[in-house]
Amino acid sequence: MNRSVIIGILLLGLCVDGFGQLMSYRVLFGLTTQQPRQIVLRQWQQQAQTRYLVVNPQTLETAITALPPNGVKILSWSSLMQQLGQTPYGRAMRFEQQRDQNLQDAGIERTDKTERGFSLTIDLCPSTKPLTRSVFEQLIKAFEPEEKPIPVTITVTGLWMEKHPQDLAYLKNLVSLAELDITWVNHTYHHRYDPRLPLPVNFLLEPATNLNDEVLLNEQAMLKNGLKPSIFFRFPGLVSDKSVFDRVLAFGLLPIGSDAWLAKNEQPKQGSLVLIHANGNEPLGITDFINLIRQKSPYIRNKTWLLYDLPGSVAKEK
């Protein structure tokens, strides 16, 4: 086995054990009392500490932090939005409320249209097949040294993490080696899907789906595996309705869609959120992406065709 993979597996074990058990995990809204003020989204107990998931309202970058009892001012969601409505986070949340109607691809599909490239999003839905590591190898080959670390958004499910610890260790090791800069996105814990059902009653729209569990259990699984949940969320199958979309917003999360699902022959534009699956179930999309970056190689070399960090791209939108 490759030495870097072995190191990654060991690191994964250390992270899971070292992070300890999460208890009393809950949604909590507020602001940190010290500058720069951060938005508080979650609270839990871990290793005899009260920990919080916070987000910078200017950069949309999240962080995990331990704060003293007087370190948080608890606020209602409406009060929080009143205070932060003009920040990039407040603007993004307001724009999202206008994107909740579509059955498919509701949410952010495209960011800054002036960007010379796009944001790459890679879905890891539940799968019995191994991670398609070739896509990451080709990414590194194509974009380094022009971009290092390479910004990538990975949407991950709880069941995938549970079944693929070695593949997860491989990805975390690429981060530790500064090859990739991964934004980790909640893609639900179970990623419910029944091929016999029509879209309006499938995925998260399937009756009896517990949305709280799908969102919060996956966040906890991410934390237990040493991943930092981002502010973003992707619906399984990119399928939602207004009710479930607005309930995800109520967790303080920003849903993302895609206007360039490569396996569906949707071509990327400037600022697109490109979608491929690296869970072994979509070889066509992987082939299309590898062909695309080979085709764009001269533009990558002169830095006129790049990959963009998703939080930064969304934060720049006016």
Side-chain angles (χ1 to χ4, degrees), residues 180-316:
L180 299 182
D181 179 14
I182 299 177
T183 297
W184 294 101
V185 171
N186 191 337
H187 197 32
T188 73
Y189 191 90
H190 296 100
H191 193 290
R192 294 168 65 110
Y193 172 64
D194 187 335
R196 300 166 298 179
L197 296 176
L199 290 185
V201 289
N202 212 334
F203 297 103
L204 284 184
L205 304 184
E206 189 176 347
T209 297
N210 187 323
L211 185 63
N212 281 5
D213 282 354
E214 293 297 338
V215 174
L216 299 181
L217 287 180
N218 202 42
E219 288 180 358
Q220 292 174 75
M222 293 167 77
L223 291 166
K224 289 175 182 177
N225 280 289
L227 309 183
K228 181 180 65 177
S230 72
I231 199 66
F232 302 104
F233 179 89
R234 175 166 273 164
F235 291 102
L238 304 186
V239 171
S240 63
D241 62 12
K242 179 174 172 54
S243 175
V244 74
F245 189 99
D246 291 348
R247 287 175 65 195
V248 167
L249 292 182
F251 286 100
L253 302 176
L254 301 173
I256 59 172
S258 171
D259 69 343
W261 189 336
L262 294 189
K264 294 186 176 183
N265 202 32
E266 297 173 355
Q267 296 305 305
K269 301 177 282 291
Q270 288 179 298
S272 285
L273 268 66
V274 170
L275 169 59
I276 59 175
H277 288 74
N279 62 348
N281 290 343
E282 194 182 75
L284 178 60
I286 298 296
T287 299
D288 287 347
F289 180 71
I290 291 174
N291 288 338
L292 178 65
I293 58 178
R294 287 174 177 167
Q295 174 192 340
K296 296 290 187 179
S297 178
Y299 303 97
I300 295 170
R301 292 289 169 254
N302 63 24
K303 297 187 178 182
T304 57
W305 199 81
L306 301 169
L307 294 182
Y308 285 86
D309 165 72
L310 183 59
S313 294
V314 175
K316 286 192 299 183

Side-chain angles (χ1 to χ4, degrees), residues 39 76-86 89-90 93-94 97:
I39 301 171
S76 68
W77 178 249
S78 59
S79 296
L80 195 60
M81 287 298 96
Q82 284 178 359
Q83 293 190 37
L84 299 171
Q86 299 309 309
Y89 178 79
M93 187 61 67
R94 193 163 57 250
Q97 292 168 352

Side-chain angles (χ1 to χ4, degrees), residues 97-109:
Q97 292 168 352
Q98 303 166 15
R99 297 174 170 131
D100 62 359
Q101 300 292 335
N102 294 343
L103 178 63
Q104 285 191 284
D105 274 328
I108 300 167
E109 297 178 277

Side-chain angles (χ1 to χ4, degrees), residues 18-228:
F19 271 72
Q21 185 177 5
L22 277 68
M23 297 182 294
S24 304
Y25 192 86
R26 66 175 181 139
V27 176
L28 179 77
F29 295 129
L31 288 172
T32 58
T33 55
Q34 293 186 344
Q35 298 291 343
R37 303 194 79 179
Q38 310 276 308
I39 301 171
V40 175
L41 297 174
R42 307 287 186 268
Q43 180 194 65
W44 68 95
Q45 302 296 318
Q46 193 172 21
Q47 295 182 328
Q49 287 184 321
T50 302
R51 298 190 182 183
Y52 299 87
L53 178 68
V54 300
V55 61
N56 185 313
Q58 302 297 332
T59 66
L60 305 188
E61 294 286 353
T62 54
I64 299 164
T65 184
L67 296 170
N70 63 351
V72 176
K73 180 181 180 182
I74 298 175
L75 295 169
S76 68
W77 178 249
S78 59
S79 296
L80 195 60
M81 287 298 96
Q82 284 178 359
Q83 293 190 37
L84 299 171
Q86 299 309 309
T87 65
Y89 178 79
R91 289 197 301 269
M93 187 61 67
R94 193 163 57 250
F95 291 153
E96 287 280 41
Q97 292 168 352
Q98 303 166 15
R99 297 174 170 131
D100 62 359
Q101 300 292 335
N102 294 343
L103 178 63
Q104 285 191 284
D105 274 328
I108 300 167
E109 297 178 277
R110 194 176 178 190
T111 57
D112 186 353
K113 297 178 183 178
T114 66
E115 290 179 340
R116 297 174 299 175
F118 56 80
S119 296
L120 176 62
T121 68
I122 301 175
D123 284 9
L124 295 178
C125 316
S127 174
T128 59
K129 299 175 183 176
L131 180 74
T132 310
R133 299 189 183 191
S134 61
V135 71
F136 300 100
E137 295 163 359
Q138 292 295 325
L139 260 181
I140 293 167
K141 181 179 178 181
F143 283 91
E144 290 187 359
E146 281 70 25
E147 289 194 90
K148 185 175 182 179
I150 300 165
V152 177
T153 296
I154 296 182
T155 82
V156 65
T157 57
L159 290 183
W160 187 90
M161 288 185 281
E162 181 182 314
K163 301 297 184 182
H164 299 273
Q166 294 184 8
D167 285 330
L168 183 58
Y170 166 81
L171 292 172
K172 291 172 65 177
N173 191 50
L174 291 179
V175 174
S176 69
L177 295 173
E179 302 284 6
L180 299 182
D181 179 14
I182 299 177
T183 297
W184 294 101
V185 171
N186 191 337
H187 197 32
T188 73
Y189 191 90
H190 296 100
H191 193 290
R192 294 168 65 110
Y193 172 64
D194 187 335
R196 300 166 298 179
L197 296 176
L199 290 185
V201 289
N202 212 334
F203 297 103
L204 284 184
L205 304 184
E206 189 176 347
T209 297
N210 187 323
L211 185 63
N212 281 5
D213 282 354
E214 293 297 338
V215 174
L216 299 181
L217 287 180
N218 202 42
E219 288 180 358
Q220 292 174 75
M222 293 167 77
L223 291 166
K224 289 175 182 177
N225 280 289
L227 309 183
K228 181 180 65 177

